Structure formats: C-alpha cells, structure tokens
Amino acid sequence: MTMVPKNLFTVKTTLCSVKQSSKYASSAIRKHSVWTQDKVIKSPYKSIEIPKYTLYDYVWQNLDKWPERTVSVCAVTGRGYTYEKAFKLSNTFAANLRRKFKVRDGDTVAVMLPNIPDYHVVSLGILEAGGVITTLNPIYTAHEVQRQLLLSDAKIIVTLPETVPTIRESLKMAKLNIPIIVVKTNGEPIPEGTALFNELSEDVHVDKSCLKEVRRGPNDICFLPYSSGTTGLPKGVELSHRNIIANCEQINEPLVRMHNDTTPSHQDVIIGVLPLYHIYAASVLMFHKMSMGAKLVTLTKFTPESYLKTIEKHRTNIVMVAPPIILLMANHPAATAKTFDPIDSICNGAAPLAASDVERLMKKAGRQLDFRQGYGLTETSPVVTISPKGLNRYEATGPPLASTEMRIVDENLKNLGPNERGEILVRGPQVMKGYRDNPQANSEVFTEDGWFRTGDLAVADNDGVVTIADRLKELIKVKGFQVPPAELESLLRDHPAVTDAAVIGVPHQTKGETPKAFVVLRNGQKCTEKELSAFVNEKVAAYKHVEDITFVESVPKSPSGKILRRVLKDQYC
C-alpha cells in the first residue's frame, strides 16, 4: 500500500500505527477539534482543490502515462481494451453520437448494460459528445424502463441485443421512438432496426470536428442515476462533473486511499462485480480508477464460483463490494486462504456490516487484511466517509472526507453531540445539485441553509468517527422505543447456523410494532425458531426481543446490497 506522509496533520505518527482505536492522529485532533462549538463535525483532512475539468477530461488526464495498460477486461472471455484503444474508440463513438444521432449538449443517453469491458467506452463517449449518462439495470422490466426513459427524457438507449425486445416494449408503452444502439459481444446477429456500437466506435471515416462544438463545464450535469426507490419511486439524481471529480479527489486523501499508483512495474487489479449502473461502481470503480490507471476485471454474470475464481486467476488486489459478497467470502466453502492471497484491501459499501461479519472474513483469509468500510449515497456521488488506514474498528466508517461537513441531529433537526444517535446531515462538494424536476423531493431533503438530509441514523464519537446505525425510515418502533433492524440482523448472523438475516417491523396489537426476522440457514444446519429467539433475546433489551422468525431460502436485496424490506413485507405480511 502507499506510504502515508509522516507530516500529515503535523503529527509524528500515522494511522498505520493505530490499533483497535479511533484515536487516529489524536494530537492533531486535540489541536484542531473536528467538533465545532455548534456541534458541526468538520473533516480532519486537508481541504481539496477541485480541478476545473469535465469528468471526461479528468479521467483521461494521465492517459500518456499508461496507454498500453489494460483498462477493462472480461473475466470469462479475456476480451478487453487498453487505455489508448478505449480512448480512441470513445472519441469516435462521441463524434458519431453528434453526427449521426444529433446528440447535443445536455442530452440524456440511457445505458442499459451489464458489466462488460465496453461500459467504459460507451460512458466516456457519451460524456465527450456533451451528453448526460443515465443508467438502467439490465434486468429491468419494460414498465421500469419506460418510466426512466420518460423521466430522464433520454434521446438514445445503448443495450445488448438480447435486451432489445424489452426496450421495444418499453418504447411502445411510453409512446417513444428513439434509436437503439446495441453492443455486440458475440457472433450473434444484431436485431433489425438497431445501430451497432462496434461500428460506430470503429468508424475511421467520421469527421470529429463536431466535437469542438461541445460546451460543457464543471457545473453541468453529467450523470443521472436513479435512486433505489426503497422509500418511494426512483428519483433522478443530478450529479455534475464537479460533484464526481470532487469525490474522486476526496478519496485520493493519503489516509483513506485504497489504490496504488500505476507504475511500469505495478497496476492495481479490481474486480468489477458491483453493477456499473450503480453509483458506487460507476464512480469509485470506473471513473476514479480509470483516472488512476487501474485495470477493471468485469463479471457479466455473477456466481460464487466465478467470482472467487476470478480473484485468484486475475490476482485481484483491491476488492470493493457490498455486504452480501462479504458474507459469501466469509462463508462459502470454495473461499479459502488461497482465494485471499492476492488481496491487499477490501472495502464494504452500500449497507452497514457488523464487526462480527468482518472477523469471520479475516478468519477465513487466515491473515489480517486491510479492511475498510465506507458510507455514502447516490446523492453524494457517492462517498461521505471511509474508515482510514489502521482504524480497526470494523463497524466504523471513519470521519467525514475532506471538504465535507456533517451534523448528527434529532427529529427537530437540533444538533446532537458526540456519542448521541441521530440523523446524518451532510454538506460538501460531492452533494448532488438536486432531484430532476422534483421540487417537492428537493424541499424534503435539503434544509433551508443547504444541508442534505440523508435519512440515515448514526453515532459520531469524540473524533468524528461515524458508525452507521440504520435507515431512519426502517426503524421499528416498539412501545415508543426505536429498534434498529441492523442490530438484530447482526446478532442473528452471529449464530453458527445462520448465514444471512433480515428484520422488519410488523404491526402488533399492544406494542404498535414488533420485530419479525427472516433467516437463511447454512447448508446442512438446523435450528429452531425458539433456539434463535433465545440466542438473540439474551443479548438485547426486552423491547428488542425477536419472537417471530421465518426461515427463508434467501434475503431479497438490491443490486447494491441493501435489504429490500418492502419486498419481505409484501410477501409475508
């Protein structure tokens, strides 16, 4: 890993020397407290300078340092691109978007692709053409697709040949007639009436002078993902070039960075298992790692065996995942110490992970890995905090990133102090411009003085180190007491017979609500509802007791790893 400058924070010791404590750079924090008198948490890191680039220019700014390095490669077929090739193809694709499809500055282009090496080329081409990227889950139904196409006002959609029937059905539903561009990844013929991305990106005759007409600046929107919708219908999140570049610079901070410099003798290898249509992977795995010259190994279809084999085969040294994959790595019989051999660092994001789950991961690895936990949202580009190097409190996510402020507030938005639990409010350059065409939603999440309400509950200690408690709207209220599902889920997973668990609140005649658990047992393990209840209930206060347990084959989760509690409620309640 990269060495940490010893003069950072003007102290003599670094985070790497800290063990089992949040007292990183403690002398600096005493000198420069992260808590203000008004109970606002300031970042302990040096403020960033945000380059006045577009995201396209930012990603390619160091192209001359690693033109022959691989930018992306398919884990199964080995098909991929060098940085130089990807740059040329994206450049040509951009010119054709302007010439043949009349894309103009600010036009939205929809991308509905799985994780394939071409994702980088498609995305950067859209940006260079002056367009805005909106991403869709490739397993969306026609109903889901048509809604996003209408909301985003997409002018074109890029997809795979096999998805075209769904696209066409969605266009019929939406009464739209927009071009469909398909990415050909095998020898199958392309659907009639579609354009071929491979030809558009390899067109040696296209006149590229049209790209000089593009006028896009740092404050213009470049990325329009749609929020997960776990608390309502998906909303278009307007992220500017500056938002995403700022976040890239923030995670370059020496104490939190999880990448190494690309040199003649080294290139980081990152496994692309997180969906690139999600902000976590798009920003942190694709845009940021491209700017650093890393290689992304893409997995189009996930299976536990293919994922674990890819880590070994491609010598993946950085793993960025969500809780379900951490649990898989800690519990799957095919995961051995050999699997973990090439790994230097693992980062969990998208949803909280209990320390006990991380300890099981370390036990499976047979050694101490550099494990981090991050916190963020689609609306924050996405990273707000990452646990810094040497902070071995696995459940913690660290203090706010550079140039980021945070508040922990009560239900009246009154600031709380250290070790008090409340909702997180954030202010920083990575916070979105707002939800597209949704003033009501914007008024609900932004305070009058510009703070973004995350809807997440957390506790911050004296050093500003944050531990996520739960989603505000997912709290279970038992006789007026607040019960966080994540706490009970962590305890359930601690049982040796349990591999996964989810908890929701269900109506109760006398309590108002009561916790209901859904549990997945390990293969070959047996356990009764009574045994599990006793195991959990002896560890928590009476109002948190779990008496209602249903055994299920799997816990429904979003592609980013969040438990879909509403799905459980719909199916079982």
Side-chain angles (χ1 to χ4, degrees), residues 513-527:
E513 279 189 309
T514 188
K516 177 178 177 62
F518 299 87
V519 171
V520 181
L521 293 178
R522 297 180 189 277
N523 288 337
Q525 295 289 323
K526 293 182 179 180
C527 188

Side-chain angles (χ1 to χ4, degrees), residues 193-237:
T194 63
L196 182 58
F197 164 77
N198 310 68
E199 291 180 354
L200 295 170
S201 61
E202 296 172 10
D203 181 3
V204 297
H205 302 294
V206 65
D207 181 0
K208 298 180 182 179
S209 62
C210 60
L211 297 177
K212 297 178 182 179
E213 302 168 1
V214 176
R215 297 289 183 271
R216 301 295 281 170
N219 292 317
D220 290 320
I221 304 303
C222 69
F223 198 51
L224 186 67
Y226 276 70
S227 62
S228 64
T230 54
T231 56
L233 290 172
K235 301 174 284 291
V237 177

Side-chain angles (χ1 to χ4, degrees), residues 61 251 361 363 365 369 451 528 553:
Q61 63 180 315
I251 60 178
L361 179 76
K363 185 177 180 180
L369 296 168
W451 288 87
T528 66
E553 292 186 0

Side-chain angles (χ1 to χ4, degrees), residues 86-207:
F87 172 77
K88 290 179 178 178
L89 293 174
S90 68
N91 190 257
T92 303
F93 181 53
N96 270 318
L97 286 176
R98 302 242 353 156
R99 289 282 183 200
K100 296 181 178 179
F101 297 92
K102 307 304 178 185
V103 168
R104 294 297 178 260
D105 294 356
D107 283 350
T108 301
V109 179
V111 180
M112 187 172 169
L113 294 170
N115 284 13
I116 55 176
D118 316 81
Y119 214 115
H120 303 61
V121 182
V122 171
S123 299
L124 272 294
I126 294 169
L127 293 180
E128 189 180 11
V132 176
I133 303 165
T134 190
T135 53
L136 296 91
N137 187 332
I139 66 168
Y140 270 179
T141 64
H143 177 77
E144 292 167 317
V145 173
Q146 64 90 22
R147 183 179 187 276
Q148 187 164 330
L149 292 179
L150 286 170
L151 289 174
S152 65
D153 191 23
K155 307 299 183 185
I156 304 169
I157 186 164
V158 184
T159 191
L160 292 181
E162 52 262 41
T163 320
V164 169
T166 300
I167 301 298
R168 285 186 167 149
E169 184 182 349
S170 73
L171 294 178
K172 184 177 180 180
M173 293 171 64
K175 298 180 180 179
L176 291 174
N177 182 23
I178 63 174
I180 302 172
I181 299 174
V182 296
V183 180
K184 191 174 181 179
T185 60
N186 52 42
E188 295 180 6
I190 68 168
E192 185 178 351
T194 63
L196 182 58
F197 164 77
N198 310 68
E199 291 180 354
L200 295 170
S201 61
E202 296 172 10
D203 181 3
V204 297
H205 302 294
V206 65
D207 181 0

Side-chain angles (χ1 to χ4, degrees), residues 247-461:
N247 209 221
C248 290
E249 289 294 301
Q250 288 169 320
I251 60 178
N252 282 339
E253 156 62 43
L255 285 177
V256 301
R257 63 180 281 170
M258 292 189 62
H259 61 275
N260 305 284
D261 292 334
T262 300
T263 67
S265 59
H266 177 80
Q267 183 186 29
D268 281 342
V269 180
I270 303 166
I271 187 166
V273 63
L274 294 172
L276 289 169
Y277 57 81
H278 187 269
I279 184 63
Y280 181 6
S283 185
V284 179
L285 269 70
M286 184 166 64
F287 295 132
H288 177 260
K289 295 305 179 290
M290 286 183 74
S291 74
M292 294 291 113
K295 174 166 66 174
L296 186 69
V297 181
T298 61
L299 270 175
T300 304
K301 295 181 180 179
F302 175 84
T303 66
E305 292 76 17
S306 65
Y307 171 72
L308 297 171
K309 286 180 181 177
T310 298
I311 292 176
E312 291 187 39
K313 178 181 177 181
H314 290 269
R315 304 298 295 171
T316 301
N317 67 309
I318 297 176
V319 175
M320 293 187 171
V321 288
I325 300 177
I326 295 287
L327 297 175
L328 165 75
M329 296 174 73
N331 297 308
H332 199 279
T336 66
K338 183 182 177 183
T339 307
F340 292 84
D341 182 60
I343 298 175
D344 295 324
S345 302
I346 298 180
C347 184
N348 175 66
L353 191 69
S356 56
D357 293 323
V358 183
E359 288 163 1
R360 281 192 286 272
L361 179 76
M362 297 296 181
K363 185 177 180 180
K364 179 61 77 78
R367 62 187 174 95
Q368 194 73 17
L369 296 168
D370 173 31
F371 177 85
R372 316 287 190 82
Q373 187 144 213
Y375 165 70
L377 306 93
T378 304
E379 293 87 344
T380 56
S381 301
V383 190
V384 175
T385 68
I386 299 178
S387 53
K389 297 177 183 178
L391 180 67
N392 291 330
R393 284 172 46 197
Y394 296 137
E395 76 285 356
T397 66
L401 291 177
S403 301
T404 302
E405 298 175 291
M406 183 180 288
R407 293 162 56 196
I408 308 292
V409 302
D410 63 15
E411 58 187 12
N412 298 314
L413 299 186
K414 180 181 178 181
N415 287 357
L416 300 174
N419 303 311
E420 294 183 294
R421 189 172 72 179
E423 183 185 0
I424 303 171
L425 272 61
V426 176
R427 189 162 63 184
Q430 73 271 50
V431 177
M432 68 170 180
K433 299 188 77 170
Y435 295 118
R436 172 157 292 191
D437 300 327
N438 201 332
Q440 180 178 347
N442 287 329
S443 67
E444 292 172 354
V445 297
F446 284 107
T447 64
E448 291 184 358
D449 52 351
W451 288 87
F452 172 67
R453 298 188 62 176
T454 67
D456 290 317
L457 295 181
V459 173
D461 68 11

Side-chain angles (χ1 to χ4, degrees), residues 44-110:
Y45 306 120
K46 181 181 177 181
S47 295
I48 59 168
E49 292 185 12
I50 306 171
K52 295 180 180 179
Y53 293 158
T54 63
L55 183 57
Y56 178 86
D57 291 329
Y58 181 81
V59 166
W60 294 122
Q61 63 180 315
N62 292 313
L63 175 64
D64 60 333
K65 294 182 179 180
W66 41 70
E68 299 304 317
R69 292 284 194 178
T70 299
V71 61
S72 59
V73 62
C74 175
V76 178
T77 67
R79 188 178 66 87
Y81 300 103
T82 65
Y83 271 85
E84 184 176 40
K85 183 69 171 178
F87 172 77
K88 290 179 178 178
L89 293 174
S90 68
N91 190 257
T92 303
F93 181 53
N96 270 318
L97 286 176
R98 302 242 353 156
R99 289 282 183 200
K100 296 181 178 179
F101 297 92
K102 307 304 178 185
V103 168
R104 294 297 178 260
D105 294 356
D107 283 350
T108 301
V109 179

